[in-house]
Amino acid sequence: MMSTQGAYYIPHKATWPVAATIGLMTSLAGFANYLNGNAAGSTFMLVGLSIFIIMIGGWFTLQATESETGMYNKGVGISYRMAMMWFIFSEIMFFAVFFGTLWYTRNLSVDWLANIGDGPGRSSGMLWPSFEAVWPTNGPGHIGGEFEPMGAFGLPLLNTLILLTSGVTCTWAHHGLIEKNRGQLIKGLAMTVGLGFLFVAFQAIEYQEAYHEMGLTLGSGIYGSTFFMLTGFHGFHVCVGAIILTVVLFRSSKGHFTPENHFAFEAAAWYWHFVDVVWLGLFIFVYMM
Amino acid sequence: MSAVTAEHEHDDHHDHGPEKGLLRWVITTNHKDIGTLYLLFALAMFFVGGIMALVIRAELFEPGMQFVSPQFFNSMTTMHALVMVFGAVMPAFVGFANWQIPLMIGAPDMALPRMNNMSFWMLVGGVLLLASTLFMEGGAPASGWTLYPPLVLQTGAALPFAIFSVHMLGISSIMGAINIIATIFNMRAPKMTLMKMPLFVWTWLITAFLLIAIMPVFAGAVTMLLTDRFFDTSFFNAAGGGDPVLYQHIFWFFGHPEVYVMILPTFGVASTIIPVFARKPLFGYSSMVYATAAIAFLSFIVWAHHMFTVGMPMAGELYFMYATMLIAIPTGVKIFNWTATMWRGSMTFETPMLFSIAFVVLFTMGGFTGLMMSMAPIDFQYHDTYFIVAHFHYTLVPASVFILMAGGYFWLPKWTGNMYDEKLGKLHFWLSAVSVNILFFPQHFLGLAGMPRRIPDYAVQFADWNMVSSVGAFIFGFSQLLFLYIVIHTIKGGTGEKVSDEVWEDAHKHGLEWTLPSPVPYHTFATPPDKIPTEHF
């Protein structure tokens, strides 16, 4: 980890970062305008997103080309791996907020609303006399109306198996890459991507059922809020991970990556295992308990 | 990588100077250029935030409503804080980090130069989104920088813009922090072992960990505000089973480490400057490292001392009270070490040293008022009064901001090759050091007498000290124009005297940057240095 800089690759001009900023800023400003009921908002959002997607394509193509032409030495690879590691750590902290919210409301604030526990946050009993602390709940105001909570067995269990299997196929692909067995690499990746999108499809069916048959929506009080925000952000991350893996699959089929130089594959695999572990947390704390 | 490519890159590296024209500053990947961008942006925001502070102090000059509406006054307190924290102090330290970390550890550049460029522009984007809220229907956010619900949910059209601004600033900070960690772990010269790194590098390493851990937490909190307002969720709505106090817990889990993000690099710069002008090694180097790590660890487990009056179980009050008091120990270690560094040193009092000594004295004061407030029963009296305002401004203005000035005076000659005007520098110091106390010291009295914060009007009993404070504010504010002049003057040639490579007497014993020519060449340490300074042991 010491001196890696003798031939450390330092790029001299970067045009994509500014494009990224313009794209992100335009789409966020557009989204904000849309939320404020401004008709032009969604157009700006789409324009910004397009810039952002073009930027991602361009920047990643540049990186892939540089990598394949041998411009990165081991030191650059270490920097990339550190960056990916700490990026995943920041994502863990992001999910921790929502898991923490689930824990706090479920174990503390709902009890206090029902006049249980010893916190000064406890309501007077006069405020919500008929409210009882049970989970799931949509609060003393019955926000969002009657709903049926999501069960753990059925689609969620199936999805757990799908994601766990995809973790295995991903590792199998990695072994293929290290052992220079490109067939195994491509097969493994294709299976992982397929399972990833299957997961997303099942998740979409689950949401469909929740909204149309169970009365469970994002607006169903604190249960609906935590359920959809946790599973929604996770689903979004699965989508992103599956898209990254698709790109890696495409690059693998073009003959990219060697046993020594395959940072993109490793980063994608780490990310995939990360969304896998988050799902296990979700399955236990959101669906089962 | 093949040797041929390596050679080619190497040659290219030497030939390559900065891009011509303005485009240089847009597409640059050079750590010095990006450091300059960060510092200039921070300086500009320092004045923007400063003008907002002067609006506040002008309104509070005497009782009654003078210049602005209460709504706009509250927008000013909110925006002043957000601009100063996210637009001025944090970017200024990132600017120092960009300039100094590669120079101090003997690296050719930051580890991830393209991402470095992106962190800067994301910062600009975030601040632009934030600034745009000033011109919106319903005005800028007026809830205070903490953005507490349910109050903040009453913001007009500005709310989603402020929230997305926080997202962009978070992306910027996380990328900057990742880059700093990768640089420090991966790019050090062979002999630069961890326990030989200058303390500024150490403090930034630890600060970067803090940033990566907390910025996503703040992003999560404001995302919940967004969905509560626009997508019917009930996170902070008791009727739906949520809890507004939950927001405060999440916010301060971010917010307390966040204030240390602003103070730890301050400690680092002070620990770099004081030994040079005391002409002694830093006293207790390793204890400084451990103290920094201890402060960072403690910052994660004390957050609810911001919430003593909100309603917490007694066990929570007691725990957060005692945990908070613990912070005084590693901080005391630092104050002691700086004092011991100066003890029997052959001290001289150039402008950077003056600012650093003022920092040690005045930060101690801010620290002690913090210790007073850590006691829960006493905090019940101080909470939400001007005593709090005085406390955290003492830890931010004559601490972080003074050290930013000190660092500017200390490193500008190295960066530009020109010497600043020492007489003007000393004048700037004395004007700032006197006026900052006129500005903030009376606020302790106001707070103890019961004047609440974030109000545009007050009872006549508070009139005298408010007037004194406002006078101090205007002297302090306008004194900073002198700093602006000195910076521009130095960049444009300064006193005309060419500075030596080490700039300050024997500075080469204290850091690698002083072994380089002045001004520092555009590319440095293409090959790692053989020797490293050993003075700080």
Side-chain angles (χ1 to χ4, degrees):
Chain A
M1 264 190 13
M2 296 303 285
S3 172
T4 52
Q5 81 223 103
Y8 196 91
Y9 175 64
I10 291 166
H12 286 301
K13 288 173 202 167
T15 41
W16 292 117
V18 180
T21 307
I22 293 170
L24 188 60
M25 214 182 126
T26 314
S27 57
L28 287 178
F31 188 31
N33 270 308
Y34 165 79
L35 290 175
N36 286 336
N38 197 329
S42 47
T43 315
F44 274 99
M45 201 166 105
L46 288 177
V47 170
L49 278 177
S50 314
I51 298 174
F52 198 77
I53 289 166
I54 292 168
M55 178 281 298
I56 288 184
W59 197 337
F60 277 69
T61 308
L62 175 67
Q63 295 284 132
T65 316
E66 286 181 352
S67 172
E68 288 306 307
T69 48
M71 286 162 96
Y72 301 159
N73 64 358
K74 207 167 153 245
V76 178
I78 292 173
S79 292
Y80 285 163
R81 282 171 178 79
M82 281 184 182
M84 192 65 201
M85 241 170 61
W86 289 106
F87 168 66
I88 290 177
F89 175 66
S90 78
E91 292 267 50
I92 291 171
M93 291 307 290
F94 184 77
F95 275 99
V97 176
F98 291 92
F99 277 108
T101 297
L102 178 64
W103 177 83
Y104 180 95
T105 48
R106 221 180 138 158
N107 293 300
L108 300 177
S109 64
V110 168
D111 278 357
W112 290 338
L113 279 174
N115 202 25
I116 302 170
D118 67 346
R122 199 164 59 139
S123 75
S124 66
M126 309 283 264
L127 200 53
W128 311 106
S130 60
F131 179 62
E132 278 178 54
V134 283
W135 190 268
T137 178
N138 55 358
H142 300 292
I143 302 291
E146 287 302 306
F147 70 91
E148 195 186 323
M150 187 61 73
F153 303 101
L155 270 185
L157 180 64
L158 185 59
N159 262 347
T160 308
L161 297 175
I162 287 173
L163 266 198
L164 288 179
T165 314
S166 78
V168 176
T169 55
C170 184
T171 306
W172 189 64
H174 198 179
H175 278 283
L177 174 54
I178 290 167
E179 289 150 16
K180 296 192 180 174
N181 183 347
R182 196 156 292 269
Q184 183 180 333
L185 166 66
I186 291 170
K187 257 184 262 163
L189 272 176
M191 281 192 276
T192 315
V193 170
L195 288 168
F197 283 116
L198 188 63
F199 173 92
V200 176
F202 280 150
Q203 198 72 347
I205 294 170
E206 183 186 302
Y207 277 17
Q208 201 76 10
E209 274 177 19
Y211 264 75
H212 296 300
E213 285 156 38
M214 301 161 76
L216 175 61
T217 69
L218 193 55
S220 298
I222 191 64
Y223 177 75
S225 307
T226 50
F227 175 82
F228 279 105
M229 289 292 270
L230 272 163
T231 56
F233 271 119
H234 175 263
F236 172 70
H237 280 74
V238 174
C239 285
V240 171
I243 291 169
I244 297 173
L245 283 170
T246 309
V247 174
V248 170
L249 171 63
F250 180 68
R251 286 185 62 187
S252 303
S253 65
K254 286 191 71 170
H256 287 199
F257 307 127
T258 61
E260 294 79 35
N261 180 20
H262 55 271
F263 163 70
F265 180 95
E266 260 180 58
W270 290 352
Y271 196 78
W272 195 249
H273 290 311
F274 152 70
V275 296
D276 221 358
V277 172
V278 172
W279 175 259
L280 283 183
L282 286 177
F283 188 64
I284 294 168
F285 294 111
V286 176
Y287 289 95
M288 290 202 343
M289 286 175 75
Chain B
M1 183 197 269
S2 73
V4 180
T5 331
E7 271 309 304
H8 172 74
E9 277 309 304
H10 202 68
D11 289 340
D12 187 43
H13 200 75
H14 276 295
D15 296 336
H16 194 94
E19 186 87 357
K20 299 276 175 291
L22 272 183
L23 193 62
R24 163 184 174 183
W25 300 102
V26 179
I27 63 173
T28 183
T29 54
N30 181 286
H31 73 104
K32 300 179 185 80
D33 282 354
I34 295 172
T36 305
L37 284 172
Y38 264 110
L39 286 168
L40 292 179
F41 183 78
L43 190 60
M45 286 305 123
F46 179 57
F47 283 99
V48 172
I51 290 167
M52 292 171 176
L54 291 187
V55 171
I56 295 167
R57 283 321 313 175
E59 179 59 49
L60 293 175
F61 183 72
E62 54 184 21
M65 301 303 299
Q66 266 76 238
F67 305 106
V68 294
S69 69
Q71 171 75 19
F72 187 74
F73 181 91
N74 288 339
S75 286
M76 282 294 105
T77 57
T78 308
M79 294 293 277
H80 162 71
L82 291 171
V83 167
M84 285 303 201
V85 171
F86 294 105
V89 176
M90 284 170 65
F93 279 117
V94 179
F96 279 170
N98 259 297
W99 257 102
Q100 286 304 124
I101 288 176
L103 296 185
M104 284 175 153
I105 63 174
D109 205 304
M110 297 293 278
L112 302 152
R114 286 187 184 125
M115 196 166 80
N116 203 12
N117 176 299
M118 184 148 82
S119 351
F120 175 74
W121 288 110
M122 287 284 172
L123 165 74
V124 176
V127 171
L128 282 178
L129 279 183
L130 185 65
S132 72
T133 62
L134 278 166
F135 309 100
M136 279 172 195
E137 207 182 314
S143 58
W145 81 292
T146 54
L147 309 176
Y148 279 177
L151 182 59
V152 75
L153 297 175
Q154 297 169 19
T155 308
L159 185 69
F161 289 90
I163 287 171
F164 294 145
S165 152
V166 168
H167 285 138
M168 279 191 87
L169 294 169
I171 291 170
S172 163
S173 293
I174 290 168
M175 287 193 305
I178 287 175
N179 212 342
I180 285 168
I181 291 181
T183 305
I184 295 174
F185 277 143
N186 195 30
M187 305 282 282
R188 276 173 290 128
K191 288 186 181 153
M192 184 63 74
T193 55
L194 282 176
M195 287 310 271
K196 285 183 182 167
M197 293 195 306
L199 216 70
F200 177 69
V201 182
W202 258 115
T203 50
W204 245 117
L205 178 62
I206 292 167
T207 304
F209 284 114
L210 291 187
L211 277 172
I212 300 179
I214 62 171
M215 292 313 294
V217 174
F218 193 22
V222 295
T223 304
M224 288 191 253
L225 288 179
L226 186 82
T227 57
D228 265 16
R229 161 83 176 258
F230 293 104
F231 298 100
D232 305 328
T233 58
S234 302
F235 289 112
F236 309 128
N237 175 10
D243 184 1
V245 176
L246 169 63
Y247 176 87
Q248 302 188 15
H249 281 290
I250 302 173
F251 178 85
W252 286 111
F253 183 83
F254 147 80
H256 199 74
E258 167 66 23
V259 300
Y260 290 20
V261 164
M262 293 187 282
I263 205 66
L264 293 183
T266 307
F267 293 165
V269 179
S271 306
T272 308
I273 294 176
I274 291 173
V276 172
F277 294 96
R279 290 172 182 73
K280 275 178 65 191
L282 180 68
F283 185 90
Y285 172 88
S286 46
S287 66
M288 283 297 217
V289 173
Y290 299 135
T292 310
I295 293 172
F297 169 73
L298 289 172
S299 74
F300 282 106
I301 56 169
V302 297
W303 74 87
H305 66 218
H306 296 268
M307 304 162 53
F308 281 143
T309 62
V310 81
M312 259 193 299
M314 180 60 83
E317 303 262 333
L318 288 173
Y319 162 74
F320 283 108
M321 171 167 104
Y322 289 125
T324 304
M325 288 177 184
L326 282 180
I327 299 171
I329 297 168
T331 314
V333 168
K334 285 182 163 290
I335 305 278
F336 175 82
N337 284 352
W338 289 317
T339 315
T341 305
M342 289 188 271
W343 181 254
R344 294 195 168 170
S346 314
M347 295 218 286
T348 51
F349 299 93
E350 286 87 346
T351 312
M353 185 60 165
L354 288 174
F355 272 109
S356 301
I357 295 173
F359 152 75
V360 175
V361 175
L362 297 175
F363 175 74
T364 306
M365 191 121 74
F368 272 130
T369 49
L371 197 54
M372 291 166 73
M373 294 182 302
S374 70
M375 289 171 248
I378 295 180
D379 182 72
F380 272 57
Q381 182 196 345
Y382 301 154
H383 188 86
D384 244 338
T385 69
Y386 257 81
F387 192 82
I388 304 283
V389 177
H391 156 71
F392 68 74
H393 278 94
Y394 261 91
T395 63
L396 279 170
V397 184
S400 293
V401 172
F402 268 28
I403 280 296
L404 286 168
M405 308 278 182
Y409 285 110
F410 187 58
W411 284 313
L412 256 186
K414 181 80 234 171
W415 298 339
T416 61
N418 306 320
M419 199 61 197
Y420 63 87
D421 188 327
E422 186 66 53
K423 266 195 190 135
L424 283 183
K426 286 203 166 101
L427 178 66
H428 171 227
F429 167 74
W430 286 110
L431 279 171
S432 303
V434 172
S435 61
V436 85
N437 285 293
I438 300 174
L439 162 56
F440 292 120
F441 208 80
Q443 296 183 358
H444 291 116
F445 311 146
L446 289 169
L448 289 177
M451 178 170 159
R453 58 192 285 212
R454 291 169 177 157
I455 47 145
D457 189 9
Y458 48 83
V460 285
Q461 56 174 333
F462 304 126
D464 294 350
W465 287 122
N466 266 303
M467 198 172 279
V468 172
S469 178
S470 290
V471 169
F474 277 84
I475 303 174
F476 182 79
F478 282 93
S479 304
Q480 303 320 311
L481 292 174
L482 187 56
F483 179 65
L484 182 65
Y485 169 77
I486 295 169
V487 169
I488 294 171
H489 179 247
T490 311
I491 292 172
K492 294 204 150 187
T495 56
E497 167 200 352
K498 276 293 147 201
V499 296
S500 65
D501 289 355
E502 61 176 16
V503 184
W504 312 105
E505 193 182 39
D506 283 344
H508 67 274
K509 291 183 189 166
H510 294 270
L512 271 177
E513 73 267 39
W514 309 107
T515 63
L516 295 164
S518 305
V520 187
Y522 195 60
H523 292 294
T524 41
F525 295 125
T527 49
D530 304 327
K531 280 194 229 156
I532 60 161
T534 49
E535 175 75 345
H536 46 261
F537 298 99

